[in-house]
Amino acid sequence: MFIQADVVVKAVMIGLALASVATWTVLLVKTIQLRAARRDGRRGLATLLSARSLLDAGRQIADQKSAVARLLAAAEDEVEKSRGLSADGIKERIAWQLERIEAAAAQRIGRGIGILATVGAVAPFVGLFGTVWGIMNSFIGISRAHTTNLAVVAPGIAEALLATAFGLVAAIPAVVIYNAFARSTGTYRSVLADSSVAILRLLSRDLDRNAFPVDLRRGSPRTADGTVLSIADSAE
């Protein structure tokens, strides 16, 4: 049926076949990416929940390259740059940065998923276009043959309906996979949000203790006698 179909119907079916290949490719790639991101995010969140301070959490997540590690690094960097400033201002600036890092991480993990939404929404209509075009050609063939014999029109109609079948085969998996990824990315965003809350809690706890090191960067040297200075003290 494909070989005997009109060139337009062939183009429609080839395009839908490529869209289906793209759908399954996105499924494979994003499944691996989402699993790794959620695993790293949950591990980082567990570390933050068990840590007693930002410095303690930083030492445990120092070797990680996850979004949670970026959240923590941003908080540590802002604390270092805000030595001698008010605690409320530090919390506010860090909250802003964490919010933007969360949004960037969610956008990064969602790249490619939009293809599934496009295929799921457009593929049925593209297949319907191929069907309409094929049936139109079948009716033209009827007028030229001057007969309504079913044997004359049936092959053309079958070829046209095949385009609709291609559209459904491309669209249905795309919609199902898109919904599954939407739930997975929602879970990942929740992990990032919980991580931000955990970082802010550690920050608030450390500010109340008034006991930040001079430099919170991982692996940075402490003071000569190993003592811990507060933000206010370091400004002096």
Side-chain angles (χ1 to χ4, degrees):
M1 286 190 293
F2 175 80
I3 298 298
Q4 296 177 356
D6 183 79
V7 62
V8 174
V9 180
K10 285 181 179 179
V12 167
M13 288 190 284
I14 292 173
L16 292 172
L18 294 176
S20 182
V21 171
T23 296
W24 294 107
T25 302
V26 170
L27 171 64
L28 177 62
V29 173
K30 299 306 292 185
T31 296
I32 297 173
Q33 186 179 2
L34 275 168
R35 283 184 178 178
R38 283 185 299 174
R39 183 184 64 248
D40 293 341
R42 287 170 178 164
R43 184 175 60 181
L45 176 59
T47 301
L48 292 174
L49 294 176
S50 62
R52 297 181 58 85
S53 65
L54 280 179
L55 185 59
D56 181 29
R59 287 170 177 168
Q60 297 183 55
I61 307 181
D63 58 340
Q64 298 183 18
K65 297 182 179 179
S66 62
V68 176
R70 291 194 295 272
L71 292 170
L72 185 58
E76 292 177 342
D77 184 66
E78 182 59 37
V79 167
E80 181 193 357
K81 293 177 179 177
S82 300
R83 291 178 293 177
L85 302 180
S86 66
D88 291 338
I90 295 175
K91 293 178 183 178
E92 188 175 7
R93 286 188 294 275
I94 289 179
W96 291 341
Q97 292 188 25
L98 297 184
E99 182 180 353
R100 297 314 307 156
I101 294 174
E102 282 182 46
Q107 183 180 14
R108 187 180 302 108
I109 203 68
R111 288 175 183 169
I113 297 179
I115 296 175
L116 301 177
T118 301
V119 172
V122 175
F125 297 101
V126 175
L128 182 60
F129 167 75
T131 298
V132 171
W133 186 275
I135 292 177
M136 181 180 64
N137 287 335
S138 296
F139 282 117
I140 292 174
I142 291 174
S143 65
R144 290 175 177 174
H146 301 287
T147 179
T148 58
N149 190 345
L150 187 61
V152 176
V153 300
I157 294 176
E159 295 160 8
L161 293 176
L162 183 62
T164 298
F166 268 72
L168 294 176
V169 168
I172 292 174
V175 173
V176 173
I177 296 169
Y178 176 81
N179 291 333
F181 281 157
R183 291 191 297 269
S184 297
T185 53
T187 302
Y188 179 65
R189 291 191 185 99
S190 297
V191 172
L192 294 181
D194 292 341
S195 299
S196 295
V197 171
I199 290 172
L200 291 174
R201 185 180 66 176
L202 292 174
L203 173 68
S204 178
R205 187 183 298 164
D206 288 343
L207 288 172
D208 288 342
R209 289 177 181 148
N210 198 24
F212 272 118
V214 174
D215 190 348
L216 272 178
R217 291 186 181 277
R218 301 187 183 99
S220 59
R222 304 287 293 277
T223 55
D225 57 355
T227 58
V228 175
L229 302 178
S230 68
I231 297 177
D233 293 335
S234 62
E236 300 174 358

